[in-house]
Amino acid sequence: MKRYIFFLLLALTACVSAQAENYPYRSDYLWVAVPGHADWLYEKGERAQVEVQLYKYGVPQDCYVTYETADDMMPADGKGKVELKGGRAVIDMGTRTTPGFRDLRLKAVVGGQETEHHVKVGYSVGEIRPVVQEPADFIDFWRKGIGEMRAFPLTYTKEKAEEYCTDKIDCYLVKLILNKQKQAVYAYLFYPKGARPGSCPVVLCPPGAGIKTIKEPLRHKYYAENGCIRMEMEIHGLDPRLPKETFDDISRAFNSKENGYLANGIDSRERYYMRRVYLSLVRCIDLLTGLPEWDGRNVIVQGGSQGGALAIVTAALDSRVTQCIVNHPALSDMAAYAEGRTGGYPHFNKMKGLLTPEHIKTLAYYDVVNFARHVTADTYMTWGYNDDTCPPTTSYAVWNTLACPKDSLITPINEHWTSDATERGQMEWMLRHLK
């Protein structure tokens, strides 16, 4: 069942509530951009007009706004200047003859200070299709990898993490050993206090991009408070208790633009960094479904950005997954830039020498779109249109590829974020769809 729910920017107060995410924190300036279509969607060939408003201290500003128009994540193909009168003006964004998104990028100088904003609208979005093609041996490649991984016995340590226990939940730090080389991933396991055998759905939560600690482990404690076992994991084998300064040093050394882990080993599908990461997801499900408290039915994966990508990967590789909950998935249609199309994070087009034919062959085995073709679990996906990290074009490429039962929550104004209410709503959707 499809369900489109649109959070629209219908009033200035709605903008104010979102400004901490969509605008500079505590900015004196507030932009309001209202497309002519309430859902921000058009058909190919339609011209989109956007009313632009600019406020300082809540007072409408009369000034000039310069703007550029472009296809999603692409160089500008048009520019202009418009005068705001009473703080308002209408800008014609033009149209598209192909499915996709257009971006209106805005700048103004008020009181000597420059302020910027942008808004994206979509055209015939139901027709957006990915560029990436699935390799003929895609499934065989991953089945072989899973078999090799499982030749090493399931091995992990588990210790109480008292600092994250509450009166309602218990927390444990797990170190899951992946192979003979003792490469590992760490995770926090959250249980309902006093959980009975056979009583709990299990939820795997892979992380967003970066080399960093497991951020705010108690942020989603309401999963365990509502009867689930939740596993918050990292993917690099780094103890989350390490000081932030250590993570920062490691990130600077091994995740800079020229040597980031998402490009590490990209010359070979067998040596690519993310191979071990993808296989570790299945190993985490092995661990979770081996817990005596698991209810024997419900296996959920949930994450955003890179974590959303990894949730889809897990659901495709492991038939035990019954639900897949995703925010704006990264790693989607990554090589589309090589064809002059909008591609997904990590935007390899910005890294000189990365999108070679050989590298593109490797990426096809790791692109989330190819995994989306194999998801059968009930799926709930959320994305926004103003996202420049995981652009809406690639979210639709994933969404339109999914052939499983699926629901969506579309939040047009959102950039690369989801609200606390949206994230709580994902758990509520999960609870309604338990087996």
Side-chain angles (χ1 to χ4, degrees), residues 62-76:
D62 289 343
C63 62
Y64 285 95
V65 171
T66 59
Y67 63 87
E68 294 179 340
T69 54
D71 288 344
D72 193 9
M73 304 301 295
M74 292 294 167

Side-chain angles (χ1 to χ4, degrees), residues 104 120 146 159 196 214 244 256 269 355:
L104 176 64
K120 297 183 188 182
I146 292 170
E159 62 179 288
R196 301 185 312 278
I214 298 172
K244 180 180 181 301
S256 58
R269 66 178 189 173
L355 285 181

Side-chain angles (χ1 to χ4, degrees), residues 415-430:
E415 297 180 9
H416 196 60
W417 60 278
T418 49
S419 70
D420 290 342
T422 292
E423 293 179 12
R424 177 81 184 213
Q426 290 173 336
M427 182 202 67
E428 293 167 353
W429 183 93
M430 179 207 75

Side-chain angles (χ1 to χ4, degrees), residues 12 39 46 72 97 128 174 181 209 213 239 253 294 312 386 395 435:
L12 180 60
D39 59 5
E46 278 191 277
D72 193 9
T97 59
I128 294 173
V174 168
Q181 292 75 39
T213 188
D239 191 324
W294 177 46
I312 291 173
N386 279 356
S395 285
K435 303 296 184 182

